[in-house]
Amino acid sequence: SYVLTQPPSVSVAPGETARIPCSGIHIGSKSVHWYQQKPGQAPGVVINYDDERPSGIPERFSGSNSGNTATLTISRVEAGDEADYYCQVWDYRSDHDVFGGGTKLIVL
Amino acid sequence: EVQLVESGGGLVQPGGSLRLSCVGSGFSFSSYWMHWVRQVPGEGLVWVSRIDSDGSTISYADSVKGRFTISRDNAKNTLFLQMNSLRAEDTAVYYCARIETVSKTGSIDYWGQGTLVTVSS
């Protein structure tokens, strides 16, 4: 089955740029969605279709996807961005949806 | 306002069964594909199952295939997950979630609040 790999945590100082990778074989050929989840809350989408920002999501959030890695980039990180972030794809071979293991963004 | 409200979670013994429900409101329920996604508290999201708008196209994660059944009643705006032969490793919060387009590849734009299933003797 298809596997998405994310680092357990990424640390960044306020005002800096956070980059959260999501690795998978030929992930560049798939559409990647990114979700943010804060403690006690359901997840919410922050980027869909690799690099599209849904209505209401700040421009500080952006995405890219190429080769074997998709990346969620958060510019000018704020304390309120501290959360768990998950990537998701649909694998056409298995017709399964797959989530990455999640990355905890720590704002120092 | 779009709302998804799950119910049916609880404590069940290993080998037992449970049926989860998810009532959708504020949108045309019968037009949307839906997922069930689970999460062990403190751990990551895990996809469980997906169903298309009329219930004719269904997919399951390997870990639940043959034990869980997803279905829907569009007349009642309700999504179901019948869970049989439950195991301790099925313990999790179960979310129902709406796919934002008519395609299975769309992102999830709305989630329920989740219902906790605990499998323990």
Side-chain angles (χ1 to χ4, degrees), chain A residues 45-46 48 52-58:
Chain A
V45 64
V46 291
N48 55 18
E52 296 185 8
R53 203 171 41 249
S55 174
I57 301 302

Side-chain angles (χ1 to χ4, degrees), chain A residues 56-80:
Chain A
I57 301 302
E59 291 184 9
R60 301 184 297 105
F61 288 79
S62 62
S64 63
N65 184 18
S66 179
N68 292 319
T69 304
T71 303
L72 173 68
T73 301
I74 309 172
S75 305
R76 302 182 299 284
V77 166
E78 303 173 356

Side-chain angles (χ1 to χ4, degrees), chain B residues 17-20 67-71 80-84:
Chain B
S17 298
L18 215 51
R19 189 194 200 198
L20 306 184
R67 300 188 299 122
F68 289 12
T69 302
I70 190 173
S71 63
F80 300 103
L81 187 68
Q82 177 67 44
M83 303 185 295
N84 298 332

Side-chain angles (χ1 to χ4, degrees), chain A:
Chain A
S1 60
Y2 194 75
V3 175
L4 295 175
T5 301
Q6 299 181 239
S9 65
V10 167
S11 298
V12 63
E16 298 298 308
T17 297
R19 295 178 178 84
I20 299 174
C22 172
S23 300
I25 296 174
H26 303 309
I27 194 174
S29 65
K30 305 179 187 301
S31 285
V32 180
H33 311 306
W34 289 92
Y35 302 90
Q36 176 193 69
Q37 186 180 32
K38 296 183 177 181
Q41 298 182 14
V45 64
V46 291
I47 291 289
N48 55 18
Y49 303 102
D50 297 340
D51 57 7
E52 296 185 8
R53 203 171 41 249
S55 174
I57 301 302
E59 291 184 9
R60 301 184 297 105
F61 288 79
S62 62
S64 63
N65 184 18
S66 179
N68 292 319
T69 304
T71 303
L72 173 68
T73 301
I74 309 172
S75 305
R76 302 182 299 284
V77 166
E78 303 173 356
D81 298 330
E82 191 163 276
D84 294 323
Y85 291 86
Y86 297 89
C87 54
Q88 179 215 359
V89 301
W90 171 67
D91 176 42
Y92 70 94
R93 290 182 185 272
S94 61
D95 191 27
H96 290 177
D97 283 80
V98 182
F99 286 96
T103 297
K104 182 175 183 59
L105 178 65
I106 299 169
V107 182
L108 301 170

Side-chain angles (χ1 to χ4, degrees), chain B residues 97-112:
Chain B
R98 188 183 88 164
I99 303 175
E100 46 88 13
T101 68
V102 295
S103 165
K104 67 175 73 173
T105 63
S107 63
I108 296 170
D109 61 349
Y110 286 95
W111 300 70

